[in-house]
Amino acid sequence: MLGKFFQKPDEDLGDRVPPGQYLTKGFPVLTYGDTPTVSTDDWEFRVWGLAKEAKFTWSDLMALPQHEFTADFHCVTRWSKLDVKWRGIKIVDFMQLVELDPAAVHVMEHCYGGYTTNLPLADFLREENFLAYELDGEPLSAEHGGPMRSIVPHLYAWKSAKWINGLEFLAQEELGFWERNGYHSRGEPWAEERYSDRFGG
Ligand SMILES: Nc1nc2c(c(=O)[nH]1)N[C@H]1C(S)=C(S)[C@@H](COP(=O)(O)O)O[C@H]1N2
Ligand SMILES: [Mo]
């Protein structure tokens, strides 16, 4: 597994690479199940649960401020990619459009294809999180989650939902797809929160 595609971090990058991770220069695709194909015309983004129910279109999101983002990407299967270049919309900007119930403490990200992943609201509302629709200056490909995905740089990448199509706000923690299947509920890479102790791991 090491060798051609994966390398041990250089000394000077060591402080960028969480414990137990190896650097990759490519960008592997990690998808459970089929890759949905969704056009920007058909794309819809819904909000429900402990927030006023609402439905947003592609143009609603394009009307928000757009930014370039550079973020490190850490997959729990032990590859990391540094300085990935994206374009998108800050979660905190999108959330200006959402009427959140103060009782909400947790959020479930929903996706075309049925994938889900959960986050404490405090992890979700961080300034550096975003919704991405370009990678390296190109429209985000379907395999990497296009037309739109979330990026939550401070947690393992299974929290970065590809083909995102909704946010469900919750009064308590509920578990998403990988979290129900043994992954850690929070997934902080510097603490190596890989697997849940609910499963004895
Ligand atoms: N909808 C959806 N989002 C997903 C996944 C998935 O299978 N389906 N895989 C997750 C995992 S485990 C990782 S590491 C990243 C991989 O993103 P990439 O395929 O762009 O590298 O997406 C995350 N988001
Ligand atoms: Mo992953």
Side-chain angles (χ1 to χ4, degrees), residues 16-30:
R16 303 267 308 274
V17 184
Q21 296 293 111
Y22 292 92
L23 288 181
T24 176
K25 287 219 169 12
F27 198 171
V29 170
L30 252 284

Side-chain angles (χ1 to χ4, degrees), residues 27-34 36 73-77 79 86 110-117 135 140 143-145 149-151 156-164 177-178 183:
F27 198 171
V29 170
L30 252 284
T31 298
Y32 183 87
D34 296 331
F73 196 92
H74 309 295
C75 174
V76 70
T77 65
W79 56 269
W86 308 92
H110 290 263
C111 306
Y112 290 99
Y115 183 89
T116 52
T117 186
L135 169 63
L140 184 57
E143 57 179 6
H144 283 300
R149 74 177 299 169
S150 72
I151 296 289
Y156 282 123
W158 86 79
K159 300 291 185 181
S160 293
K162 304 200 281 190
W163 318 293
I164 194 164
F177 173 73
W178 280 122
Y183 282 18

Side-chain angles (χ1 to χ4, degrees), residues 91-184:
I91 293 280
V92 289
D93 287 340
F94 171 73
M95 288 301 292
Q96 296 291 321
L97 307 179
V98 174
E99 274 182 56
L100 201 56
D101 183 323
V105 296
H106 213 83
V107 60
M108 187 74 76
E109 300 182 305
H110 290 263
C111 306
Y112 290 99
Y115 183 89
T116 52
T117 186
N118 63 281
L119 294 159
L121 201 57
D123 280 318
F124 182 70
L125 294 179
R126 283 168 67 134
E127 172 74 26
E128 74 266 25
N129 298 343
F130 57 96
L131 297 167
Y133 60 88
E134 280 183 17
L135 169 63
D136 285 333
E138 302 285 338
L140 184 57
S141 66
E143 57 179 6
H144 283 300
M148 190 76 86
R149 74 177 299 169
S150 72
I151 296 289
V152 179
H154 74 291
L155 298 178
Y156 282 123
W158 86 79
K159 300 291 185 181
S160 293
K162 304 200 281 190
W163 318 293
I164 194 164
N165 71 355
L167 299 172
E168 177 186 8
F169 292 94
L170 302 164
Q172 69 288 311
E173 176 183 272
E174 287 182 23
L175 300 179
F177 173 73
W178 280 122
E179 294 85 358
R180 282 196 305 274
N181 285 286
Y183 282 18
H184 195 278

